[in-house]
Amino acid sequence: MRHLITFIGLALLSQTAMAQEYNDLKILFADGDYEKLVKKAEGYTTNDKTKYDPVPYFWAAKGLYKISLSGTDDERFKNAYKDAIKFLGKGIKYDLKKNDGQAMEEFNEFVVMFQMTCFNRISNDIEAGDYRKAYSWAGRYKKITQNPVGVYLIMGACKYQAKDRSSARTNWKEADALLPEITGVESWSDADKQVLMIGIIETAKAYKMSMQDDKAKDILGKAAQWFEEDEEWQRRYDDYVNS
């Protein structure tokens, strides 16, 4: 009986921790005190009672992102943007595993916006021909998405451009396993769609460079149903044709 009471008590304690509203974090964010917000949120992520609650991770990510925009003299925040990705990735992981994605619904606006900032870094580096950096950002993006197929395509294309054919094939193999599972992209975030679009175009370019035109046509054909009305797709497709 004693063990049963202990178990029930622990379960209730866990539920209470997961149900916290974290008003202190909300107030710090509203006040623009982002460094204090991050430190406070980090405290929750290391506390045994709340370390698996996804909410503090989302708040830490929001604070770190704001710090990355405004800058700081505190050396602890010199990698604020990259640290924001780490916290957001953990928040998403714990939310899906323990909270049925409820926190992601609450922080959806931030998640969608932040994904786009990361996508822009990937896109800019690809446009500049810096495939090493693009690969690095794509790897980070994989931590903050539930739709990684485009990431694997980009990573494969980046490795191909870096003359690492083995790693390119490994990433493309991961993508090939996921592509048939896509029934539509209507519910995807804009960033996830853009990542998939670029991944397909860059992979097709790599196939074309390696004289595998059939593979290039095949993967472009798969994407047409999702992007044929998209102006950005048409622009990138034209670049591919003329490459």
Side-chain angles (χ1 to χ4, degrees):
M1 184 66 178
R2 182 185 304 170
H3 293 302
L4 178 60
I5 293 173
T6 301
F7 174 79
I8 293 173
L10 289 172
L12 290 173
L13 181 61
S14 176
Q15 290 177 2
T16 300
M18 294 294 282
Q20 284 194 63
E21 294 185 3
Y22 298 102
N23 287 326
D24 52 342
L25 302 183
K26 294 178 182 179
I27 292 171
L28 288 170
F29 184 82
D31 289 344
D33 197 345
Y34 303 125
E35 293 187 16
K36 189 173 181 180
L37 164 65
V38 172
K39 293 171 185 176
K40 188 74 173 179
E42 280 186 300
Y44 285 118
T45 67
T46 57
N47 187 307
D48 287 342
K49 295 179 181 179
T50 52
K51 64 182 179 181
Y52 295 120
D53 187 340
V55 173
Y57 292 91
F58 283 95
W59 279 116
K62 289 188 72 171
L64 285 162
Y65 174 65
K66 287 292 189 179
I67 292 171
S68 75
L69 295 178
S70 60
T72 178
D73 294 328
D74 193 329
E75 280 294 306
R76 287 174 294 181
F77 299 115
K78 64 180 180 180
N79 294 315
Y81 186 85
K82 292 178 181 178
D83 288 340
I85 294 175
K86 293 177 184 178
F87 275 97
L88 182 56
K90 285 187 177 181
I92 291 173
K93 175 184 175 181
Y94 291 143
D95 192 38
L96 293 174
K97 186 175 182 180
K98 298 178 176 294
N99 206 31
D100 296 326
Q102 293 181 32
M104 286 187 66
E105 292 181 13
E106 178 184 350
F107 292 91
N108 180 66
E109 183 177 350
F110 169 70
V111 173
V112 169
M113 178 277 297
F114 190 81
Q115 283 182 331
M116 186 57 73
T117 68
C118 192
F119 160 74
N120 286 335
R121 294 180 181 227
I122 298 169
S123 179
N124 290 340
D125 286 334
I126 287 176
E127 293 276 359
D130 194 337
Y131 289 96
R132 181 189 62 80
K133 285 182 66 177
Y135 177 87
S136 179
W137 285 118
R140 293 185 175 96
Y141 188 94
K142 185 155 65 77
K143 298 177 181 179
I144 58 173
T145 180
Q146 298 178 71
N147 302 301
V149 59
V151 176
Y152 284 118
L153 289 169
I154 288 175
M155 292 172 74
C158 288
K159 284 299 183 182
Y160 179 87
Q161 296 291 349
K163 313 300 182 185
D164 185 349
R165 305 296 195 260
S166 177
S167 294
R169 287 193 295 270
T170 297
N171 281 286
W172 285 334
K173 186 176 180 180
E174 293 282 355
D176 287 342
L178 294 172
L179 274 170
E181 298 178 7
I182 302 176
T183 57
V185 297
E186 295 82 7
S187 63
W188 290 23
S189 69
D190 286 343
D192 279 350
K193 292 176 187 176
Q194 293 293 320
V195 166
L196 178 60
M197 183 190 301
I198 285 187
I200 288 170
I201 290 290
E202 291 299 319
T203 296
K205 285 182 181 179
Y207 284 148
K208 185 178 180 181
M209 290 172 64
S210 61
M211 309 299 288
Q212 299 182 77
D213 289 344
D214 288 343
K215 282 190 174 182
K217 291 177 181 177
D218 180 58
I219 196 166
L220 288 170
K222 290 177 180 176
Q225 59 183 314
W226 304 317
F227 302 120
E228 59 186 354
E229 301 298 327
D230 191 293
E231 291 183 3
E232 181 65 13
W233 165 262
Q234 194 59 53
R235 181 184 75 81
R236 291 184 180 277
Y237 180 80
D238 290 343
D239 288 344
Y240 157 77
V241 171
N242 296 320
S243 64

